Amino acid sequence: MYPNKHKLLAADLALIAIAVFWGVSFVVIKDALVQVSPANLTLARFVLTSLVLLPVALIRCRSFRPHQVLPGVLMGVFLFLAFFTQAIGLLYTLASRAGFLTGLNVVFTPLLVVLLFKRWPGLYALGGALMAFAGLYLLSLAGEMHGVPFNIGDVLNICCALAIAFHVLIVARYAPGMDSFWLAYIQFVIITACCFIWALFSGGVSLSFDPGIWAAVAFLGLFCTVAAFWTQIWAQKFIPPTRTAIIFALEPVTAAVAGFVWLDEPIGLIGAFGGGLIVAGLLLAEFKPQKWEGMN
């Protein structure tokens, strides 16, 4: 049974809000990395996330089912890879540039849908994805024109985009018919464990942060993680993966604006035009939305 229009609209708005929070997170992370290592910042984020949701897990323990473990583990592994490559990449490139390249998942996602599931996106969704890709290219070009050459940080953020695309597809495959909370919580626990190992092998675990860094961790953990990923799993019960990726293309637009406002990172006319193309691609995809029943 297809979801009604109100649920589709609610899912769209939820994903747009997530994209905005994630866009701002690029600036927050970039600023925090001046004082702490990527491993310890990411570890603190997911320790907080897991602890906040632990009481809910205990209350809902009777709803846990063993078949939820494998999807949660897969989601956790690919999401960890996304955070790992993004955090390291931000050490070497602009926050706005990282946002642009991470947004390449808008291209990777429909390609993976075709390659892995043999399902072609709708015409409007495909057109929206192509427009968003053109916009991302212009946004990236704008950064290079302002004296930021392509570097290892950019390569890592492209890898991040690919990991996000896989994560979107895994959520699309398993979210329909499964408990959103347990999928989200299992993936957070897996990421926390991976981050702990990462921190051990990259200088040691240290969570002795000043209050400003803990404020950043609270924003990243509560809004950009707990609320965002739990909501994403719910929303993808109704929204196809290609459409999800197009909506998430708003993330680099937000990152560019936030980078310009807080870090004085340049956008320029080309970058602004690229951002406009991404928004236009989103509107095109919204013109004739596809309903979704999952990938079986």
Side-chain angles (χ1 to χ4, degrees):
M1 182 177 180
Y2 288 137
N4 60 41
K5 291 183 179 180
H6 295 294
K7 283 188 177 180
L8 288 172
L9 177 60
D12 277 347
L13 293 176
L15 292 178
I16 289 171
I18 291 170
V20 171
F21 277 117
W22 286 349
V24 173
S25 75
F26 280 92
V27 174
V28 175
I29 294 170
K30 178 76 173 179
D31 191 51
L33 288 177
V34 175
Q35 300 183 51
V36 299
S37 71
N40 282 311
L41 179 66
T42 312
L43 174 61
R45 173 178 183 171
F46 283 97
V47 166
L48 176 62
T49 298
S50 299
L51 290 176
V52 166
L53 290 178
L54 180 59
V56 182
L58 294 175
I59 293 171
R60 299 193 54 181
C61 61
R62 290 185 179 180
S63 66
F64 174 77
R65 299 291 182 272
H67 70 271
Q68 298 162 340
V69 174
L70 180 58
V73 170
L74 289 173
M75 288 162 54
V77 168
F78 279 100
L79 200 54
F80 167 74
L81 291 174
F83 281 108
F84 174 79
T85 51
Q86 183 187 87
I88 299 296
L90 275 168
L91 292 173
Y92 303 100
T93 192
L94 298 173
S96 52
R97 180 79 157 274
F100 307 154
L101 294 173
T102 299
L104 287 175
N105 70 83
V106 75
V107 179
F108 294 149
T109 300
L111 287 176
L112 290 173
V113 168
V114 174
L115 292 174
L116 299 179
F117 298 100
K118 312 301 180 185
R119 294 181 60 168
W120 285 90
L123 183 61
Y124 290 100
L126 189 60
L130 291 174
M131 288 183 69
F133 172 71
L136 287 164
Y137 173 75
L138 291 177
L139 284 169
S140 182
L141 182 63
E144 192 154 339
M145 289 178 65
H146 286 87
V148 185
F150 193 83
N151 58 57
I152 186 62
D154 298 322
V155 174
L156 288 170
N157 276 285
I158 292 172
C159 293
C160 172
L162 187 58
I164 290 173
F166 273 108
H167 180 264
V168 168
L169 292 186
I170 293 168
V171 173
R173 170 65 178 84
Y174 291 107
M178 282 200 178
D179 189 309
S180 300
F181 169 77
W182 282 112
L183 288 180
Y185 190 66
I186 292 168
Q187 76 169 352
F188 294 152
V189 171
I190 294 299
I191 296 170
T192 303
C194 291
C195 288
F196 184 77
I197 296 170
W198 175 21
L200 282 178
F201 285 92
S202 62
V205 175
S206 175
L207 301 182
S208 299
F209 304 153
D210 64 36
I213 297 298
W214 277 114
V217 169
F219 172 76
L220 294 171
L222 299 179
F223 293 98
C224 300
T225 308
V226 174
F229 288 105
W230 192 351
T231 302
Q232 178 196 353
I233 293 171
W234 169 81
Q236 280 199 249
K237 294 176 184 288
F238 316 113
I239 303 295
T242 298
R243 182 179 172 85
T244 299
I246 294 169
I247 293 175
F248 282 171
L250 288 174
E251 178 183 346
V253 178
T254 308
V257 173
F260 175 76
V261 173
W262 282 293
L263 301 179
D264 294 323
E265 294 183 354
I267 297 178
L269 289 177
I270 291 179
F273 184 66
L277 271 180
I278 291 174
V279 175
L282 172 61
L283 294 175
L284 179 61
E286 291 284 336
F287 183 74
K288 190 176 180 181
Q290 291 175 283
K291 295 175 180 178
W292 186 240
E293 292 184 301
M295 290 182 190
N296 297 312

